[in-house]
């Protein structure tokens, strides 16, 4: 699996942390990334750019509306985009599927095994909606933050109500972790669900059993991505300078060069880590 780290520009680790290679888009403040076997799209401050699997042919993707903040790839090349207050389906043509008249925005997206979109909404209409045809509200009364899907299983991390799990393609959810601490990151790594908490805590869920890992040092996870040898974690540090990069093997974590990539001594700000297929 190829993993990209989104920084002030886009960087990729082609061989399990042997080195970091700048791959563009140049000077792009990266907000989010998603892809399939044929394309990778990146949301930046100035618009969405898309490249092939070699990541060497970046071009502005004019199919997308302005100010897209989150992306999710579905089957048959369909890409979902979320500007503030809207949800768009982008294929051979772009179509606005949802427009929220209230102060509501999608803070995260994922696509399930059947191709349904799940959108975590914050604001006046906070909750979770599922789109497979007409939008259907599937979870209310929570303040959602992060989503991750693996086939018909979906994780939802919230700001105030712990972690929820769906085993039926996002149609219904059960709470599997109750905590007052906000959930800062969620990811599927094989059959394991990795959970990052806003107080620096890390937990793994597998087969209805929780494993609590030692907390991250002086920060909290903002991104989780499985790689050969473990899980890469972006760690935000509020009061100790630049963010950290951590490789975790499920027992302990090893800090990598904080805020530096390859031979570049320039410090950069990490914005997240996302696994991409086809690598």
């Amino acid at each position: 699996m190829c993993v990209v780290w989104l920084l002030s520009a886009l960087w990729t680790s082609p061989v399990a942390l042997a080195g970091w290679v700048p791959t563009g888009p140049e000077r792009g403040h990266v907000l989010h990334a998603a892809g399939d076997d044929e394309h990778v799209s990146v949301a930046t401050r100035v618009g969405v750019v898309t490249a092939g699997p070699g990541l060497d042919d970046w071009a502005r993707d004019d199919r997308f509306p302005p100010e897209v903040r989150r992306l999710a790839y579905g089957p048959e090349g369909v890409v979902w985009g979320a500007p503030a207050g809207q949800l768009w389906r982008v294929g051979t043509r772009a179509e606005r599927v949802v427009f929220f008249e209230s102060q509501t925005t999608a803070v995260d997206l994922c696509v399930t095994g059947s191709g349904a979109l799940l959108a975590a909404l914050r604001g006046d209409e906070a909750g979770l909606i599922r789109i497979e045809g007409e939008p259907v509200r599937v979870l209310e009364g929570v303040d959602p933050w992060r989503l991750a899907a693996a086939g018909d299983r979906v994780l939802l991390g919230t700001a105030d109500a712990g972690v929820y799990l769906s085993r039926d393609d996002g149609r219904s959810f059960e709470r599997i972790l109750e905590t007052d601490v906000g959930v800062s990151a969620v990811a599927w790594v094989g059959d394991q669900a990795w959970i990052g908490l806003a107080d620096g805590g890390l937990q793994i869920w597998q087969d209805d059993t929780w494993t609590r890992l030692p907390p991250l040092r002086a920060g909290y996870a903002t991104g989780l991505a499985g790689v050969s040898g473990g899980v890469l974690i972006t760690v935000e540090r509020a009061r100790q300078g630049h963010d950290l990069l951590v490789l975790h093997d499920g027992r302990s974590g090893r800090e990598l060069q904080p805020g530096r990539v390859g031979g570049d001594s320039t410090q950069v700000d990490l914005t997240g880590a996302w696994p991409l297929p086809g690598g």
Side-chain angles (χ1 to χ4, degrees):
M1 175 176 290
C2 175
V3 173
V4 293
W5 288 90
L6 285 303
L7 314 167
S8 56
L10 176 66
W11 303 73
T12 180
S13 172
V15 184
L17 297 180
W20 295 92
V21 180
T23 187
E26 288 188 21
R27 302 184 183 278
H29 182 122
V30 174
L31 303 170
H32 198 246
D36 60 12
D37 290 339
E38 297 182 359
H39 298 94
V40 175
S41 295
V42 173
T44 76
R45 294 289 189 194
V46 295
V48 175
V49 292
T50 297
L55 303 181
D56 56 1
D57 56 350
W58 294 100
R60 181 72 174 265
D61 199 330
D62 293 328
R63 299 175 300 165
F64 289 88
E67 299 184 0
V68 169
R69 293 295 181 262
R70 307 298 287 187
L71 295 162
Y73 263 75
E76 299 177 358
V78 171
V79 193
W80 291 87
Q86 305 172 56
L87 292 172
W88 286 70
R89 181 193 292 116
V90 177
T92 54
R93 64 184 183 90
E95 173 189 10
R96 189 174 68 184
V97 177
V98 178
F99 174 75
F100 299 103
E101 296 184 358
S102 60
Q103 295 294 315
T104 300
T105 194
V107 294
D108 208 3
L109 308 173
C110 73
V111 175
T112 69
S114 71
L117 175 78
L118 288 169
L121 307 179
R122 301 190 78 183
D124 294 343
E125 301 178 50
L128 189 67
I129 63 171
R130 184 179 187 274
I131 300 178
E132 193 175 30
E134 291 297 316
V136 175
R137 190 168 288 269
V138 294
L139 192 61
E140 295 183 285
V142 299
D143 195 4
W145 184 240
R146 289 293 173 251
L147 283 164
D152 61 359
R153 299 180 303 167
V154 182
L155 288 169
L156 170 65
T158 71
D160 58 359
V163 178
Y164 288 77
L165 171 69
S166 173
R167 307 173 196 257
D168 59 2
D169 209 63
R171 293 178 174 86
S172 63
F173 284 80
E174 60 180 304
R175 183 154 59 178
I176 59 172
L177 178 64
E178 187 171 353
T179 174
D180 294 332
V181 179
V183 177
S184 59
V186 299
W188 289 103
V189 181
D191 291 332
Q192 296 180 332
W194 280 64
I195 309 297
L197 301 176
D199 63 358
L202 282 177
Q203 298 196 39
I204 300 174
W205 178 91
Q206 185 174 24
D207 298 329
D208 295 320
T209 299
W210 284 98
T211 301
R212 189 187 301 269
L213 303 177
L216 295 167
R217 181 177 66 85
Y220 60 91
T222 56
L224 299 160
V227 294
S228 175
V231 176
L232 284 171
I233 308 172
T234 46
V235 180
E236 182 168 324
R237 299 195 296 177
R239 292 185 293 273
Q240 295 190 32
H242 289 272
D243 303 336
L244 290 174
L245 198 58
V246 173
L247 177 63
H248 208 292
D249 63 6
R251 296 178 298 275
S252 62
R254 176 169 61 90
E255 293 180 7
L256 308 178
Q257 292 184 5
R260 296 181 179 176
V261 211
D264 189 353
S265 61
T266 303
Q267 297 281 359
V268 294
D269 293 325
L270 307 173
T271 58
W274 294 270
L276 300 177

